[in-house]
Every structure is written in structure tokens, then in C-alpha cells.
Amino acid sequence: MIRLPRVHYEAILEHARTEAPKECCGLLAGKSGRVERVYRITNRADRAVDLFAERGLMPQSGADPSRLPNERYVMDPEELFRALREIEAAALDHLANYHSHPATPPWPSRTDVEFAAYWPHVAHLICSLVDPDQPTLRAFRIVNGQVCEVPIRVEEEPIGR
Amino acid sequence: MAVTVLIPAPLRRFTNEVSSVQIEASTVGEALTALDAQFPGIRERICDADGRLRRFVSVFVNGRDVRSLQGLETPLREGDEVGIIPAMAGGR
């Protein structure tokens, strides 16, 4: 179970909409499965053609680096490192990664599953914009190539706050 | 040169869950070799058989990606902090 305060849920959807048609990406940190912080990270897929090519994971649409962020994401390494350091310094847990699928359903792709191998201890959230009026956000654990959905509970702010 | 190597969560199974290690090294490459002497097997997760940094791994000195410095030859100074992170990547 991922507990996601409404404000952070909206922040992820907003990030996905802002970046579309590119994929957005970021980290979620918190305590006891409850998200307290959202870290937006820059998608650097345009600089990482070789990372996908060496694994046979280039999109069918071709190898134009400027278009790669529409179908792939790679979190900027320095931003990612800084965010993970901040999370640790704040004594929070790195709970999840998130990214968007601007034109496909919110289910882990082969590429997602392959790269998740390095991060089995966190959840992977995917925000789909297939229906732009009704974005969907789902979460998964991906361990040894096995995908298992994790429920997300969006928590409403207490009244009067 | 005593430096601190920060071990990312995905590699802590090699270090008995230890998250930072003090070692002696004067370059990033030496730091990885020293790390492997202490925790056998960890270096091959970071470098390929030819000793090059694997494409899906980034190594940092004081927060800067060594790919924008001098790679594994990047010199280290007393007190430097070496970080390691596997890529976070995917796509539709």
C-alpha cells in the first residue's frame, strides 16, 4: 500500500501533463509507506541512446535522440544522486520512482521491467495520459521480472487545514 | 587519501547492508578496486570485464558525475565523497 496525500498525487499528474508528449520521471520519499515529498527529476533519455540500444530496447519509431524522451526515460544521474542524498539526510525512505506513459496504459513495459531489476526495493508508479481528461496512476513492485500491483490510497487533506 | 564511498541501496547486499565505507585511494578507479578487496564482487557490478564503467551505472565525486570529469582516472582528495548509482530508467 502506498499512501499518497492528494497534494502529491496532483503533483505527479501535473508533472506528467507538463512534460507530455515527453515522459516525466521522479522519486517519492516518505515514511511508513506514506509519501511526504515528490522529487521531479529531468528526463535525460536524449543523452542515453546507447543505454537502450545495447539492450535492444530502442523504440520502433527509431533512434532520433530528440524524440527518445517521448518513449523512454532516464533520470538525470546528478539530480538523482542529489535527491537520494537529500532523502537520506532527511531520514526519509526512498519509497518509489514514478514516470509517465503519455500515450500507453499504466502498466510496466518490457523496458520498465528490465531497468527495475536495479531497484527491487522500491515501488514503481506509472501515470498514464491515454485519456488526457482522466489520467490514471498505478503502482507496482517489480522483483526478478515479476510484476505485482500495489494499491495506492490517495489521502484527502483533513477538513479545516 | 582517505575517502568515503557511499553504497547505494541496490548494492548493499554486497556490503552487509553498510551504507558508507572509508577507504584509501587516489583515483576513482583505485577506490573501486579497494572497495572490491573489502567486498568481493561489487566492482563487477560497476565495471565491465574490460574495466570500463558500465553504461547503466554512474559514479560521482562530491556529487559530480565522473563522466563529466576524468572517468575512473578522476583524482581523489582527502575527505572526498564517492557515490555510486545504477540508472533509473524505463519507458513505454
Side-chain angles (χ1 to χ4, degrees), chain B residues 12-85:
Chain B
R12 286 180 198 160
R13 63 195 168 94
F14 288 94
T15 62
N16 307 315
E17 299 306 317
V18 168
S19 61
S20 84
V21 183
Q22 296 282 326
I23 54 168
E24 292 284 330
S26 57
T27 65
V28 169
E30 276 181 34
L32 297 180
T33 302
L35 189 65
D36 195 68
Q38 213 168 327
F39 304 108
I42 196 166
R43 192 175 191 279
E44 73 180 66
R45 300 283 154 166
I46 303 165
C47 298
D48 65 19
D50 297 329
R52 284 182 304 232
L53 209 53
R54 290 188 185 277
R55 230 184 274 282
F56 61 86
V57 177
S58 294
V59 175
F60 308 86
V61 174
N62 302 328
R64 286 198 62 195
D65 193 333
V66 300
R67 287 194 174 91
S68 66
L69 301 172
Q70 296 166 57
L72 296 177
E73 302 301 318
T74 304
L76 296 175
R77 293 193 201 140
E78 183 76 21
D80 276 352
E81 201 179 71
V82 177
I84 306 162
I85 291 193

Side-chain angles (χ1 to χ4, degrees), chain A residues 81-98:
Chain A
F81 182 71
R82 260 198 310 275
L84 289 170
R85 292 283 283 150
E86 262 186 59
I87 290 167
E88 220 160 62
L92 297 174
D93 297 323
H94 170 207
L95 298 176
N97 306 334
Y98 72 89

Side-chain angles (χ1 to χ4, degrees), chain A residues 19-26 41-76 98-104 107-115 126, chain B residues 87-92:
Chain A
E19 291 298 319
K22 292 182 181 172
E23 296 194 5
C24 75
C25 52
I41 309 281
T42 307
N43 178 356
R44 297 286 186 204
D46 55 335
R47 299 185 191 169
V49 172
D50 294 343
L51 180 70
F52 297 105
E54 76 175 3
R55 288 155 187 265
L57 293 171
M58 284 297 284
Q60 290 175 342
S61 59
D64 176 358
S66 69
R67 287 188 51 82
L68 200 55
N70 295 9
E71 300 186 42
R72 298 288 183 270
Y73 78 91
V74 178
M75 294 196 198
D76 179 273
Y98 72 89
H99 73 282
S100 61
H101 284 181
T104 51
W107 190 263
S109 65
R110 189 186 141 214
T111 309
D112 290 332
V113 171
E114 185 147 331
F115 282 101
I126 302 176
Chain B
M88 233 172 246
R92 75 178 196 188

Side-chain angles (χ1 to χ4, degrees), chain A residues 1-5 30-36 93 95 155:
Chain A
M1 165 81 76
I2 305 267
R3 293 188 296 142
L4 188 59
K31 271 283 170 205
S32 309
R34 182 174 184 276
V35 174
E36 295 178 25
D93 297 323
L95 298 176
E155 294 182 341

Side-chain angles (χ1 to χ4, degrees), chain A residues 6 17 21-22 45 48 62 73 78 81 84 105 113 117 120 129 153 156 161:
Chain A
R6 169 71 61 184
R17 288 193 192 102
K22 292 182 181 172
Y73 78 91
E78 288 187 356
F81 182 71
L84 289 170
V113 171
L129 300 177
R153 190 169 79 203
E156 306 302 334
R161 237 171 136 185

